[in-house]
Amino acid sequence: QQPVQSPQAVILREGEDAVINCSSSKALYSVHWYRQKHGEAPVFLMILLKGGEQKGHEKISASFNEKKQQSSLYLTASQLSYSGTYFCGTDNTGTASKLTFGTGTRLQVTL
Amino acid sequence: DVKVTQSSRYLVKRTGEKVFLECVQDMDHENMFWYRQDPGLGLRLIYFSYDVKMKEKGDIPEGYSVSREKKERFSLILESASTNQTSMYLCASSPGGRPYEKLFFGSGTQLSVL
């Protein structure tokens, strides 16, 4: 079963912050975040492992609450280059060989 | 940088045709994957392979098969294409051997079945 992402879409002005949530109905070993720009391949952002570890990538960070089976992606001081669709991929097996991706969150950053 | 190359960016086929989608990676990765991407449905795993001649079903394998005769190449086969297989198909690879690895995606093949 696919994880649920929210919101489905968000429009920001440059410099604003956003949070994208990813929620699973199953126990998670890890959560993986990817960004896909229009017409391009998805690109890896970060992996979060069990333990509530928070990782960062540029001004993008994320958290993982394994008890709640949720992860959140935080985009601070957004830039035009952050526009794209963000996908979370959840790992229910501990091997990450079979990620289940959410339906995506479309983010648009405007001037 | 890892390069995952999909043979066609756009493909148009007729219903009932046998369709081959090819994917090649150049970094000696063990794992290779095929996903399809549809609006509102995100990325869904069709098949994956963790070694030559090995394959495992993903979440939506019906209507598809795969072939991995060489480590660098992973083919997706639509035995008899149908209109509901019109989609963007993404190939990905990962190094293998470690529990948490990132995927490297190709740019995708937009398949239209008429």
Side-chain angles (χ1 to χ4, degrees):
Chain A
Q1 198 161 8
Q2 288 182 276
V4 176
Q5 285 186 237
S6 63
Q8 289 185 325
V10 59
I11 300 175
L12 297 175
R13 289 194 182 274
E14 201 173 20
E16 290 182 335
D17 301 339
V19 180
I20 299 172
N21 299 303
C22 175
S23 181
S24 174
S25 60
K26 297 182 179 180
L28 298 176
Y29 286 86
S30 64
V31 179
H32 305 226
W33 286 96
Y34 287 79
R35 176 174 63 204
Q36 183 181 31
K37 299 194 176 186
H38 183 68
E40 298 182 9
V43 173
F44 170 80
L45 291 176
M46 65 190 76
I47 292 175
L48 297 122
L49 309 179
K50 286 175 71 170
E53 190 173 346
Q54 191 155 348
K55 292 247 183 194
H57 172 83
E58 299 174 345
K59 291 182 183 177
I60 300 172
S61 62
S63 63
F64 176 27
N65 186 326
E66 68 210 59
K67 288 183 180 177
K68 292 187 177 180
Q69 296 159 194
Q70 291 176 346
S71 177
S72 295
L73 188 71
Y74 306 95
L75 298 96
T76 56
S78 58
Q79 306 167 13
L80 293 175
S81 62
Y82 288 0
S83 294
T85 301
Y86 290 77
F87 293 99
C88 68
T90 55
D91 167 26
N92 307 116
T93 64
T95 64
S97 61
K98 191 178 171 182
L99 292 180
T100 302
F101 283 94
T103 55
T105 296
R106 182 181 288 182
L107 178 77
Q108 184 180 353
V109 181
T110 64
L111 289 171
Chain B
D1 279 353
V2 174
K3 193 166 185 182
V4 179
T5 304
Q6 294 184 231
S7 54
S8 304
R9 185 74 179 94
Y10 299 96
L11 210 53
V12 180
K13 296 292 181 182
R14 295 195 180 276
T15 303
E17 277 192 78
K18 189 169 186 176
V19 181
F20 293 86
L21 301 183
E22 307 287 346
C23 175
V24 176
Q25 49 92 5
D26 66 357
M27 282 299 290
D28 202 36
H29 282 178
E30 301 287 338
N31 300 335
M32 296 189 75
F33 307 82
W34 275 106
Y35 288 88
R36 67 176 279 177
Q37 183 174 19
D38 300 287
L41 296 178
L43 299 165
R44 292 179 293 166
L45 181 64
I46 305 171
Y47 267 98
F48 68 100
S49 167
Y50 51 87
D51 200 354
V52 175
K53 297 190 185 294
M54 305 298 287
K55 61 185 179 184
E56 283 200 28
K57 293 180 180 179
D59 299 315
I60 52 165
E62 296 79 19
Y64 303 94
S65 63
V66 290
S67 172
R68 195 167 179 202
E69 296 295 321
K70 293 185 177 182
K71 192 174 186 179
E72 68 271 18
R73 187 179 296 270
F74 193 34
S75 302
L76 180 70
I77 304 158
L78 288 68
E79 295 290 342
S80 177
S82 63
T83 54
N84 63 13
Q85 292 179 309
T86 291
S87 185
M88 171 67 80
Y89 290 87
L90 290 167
C91 176
S93 70
S94 66
R98 291 167 293 181
Y100 304 106
E101 296 178 332
K102 63 181 180 181
L103 298 174
F104 295 85
F105 282 90
S107 296
T109 296
Q110 179 64 52
L111 173 67
S112 296
V113 182
L114 306 177

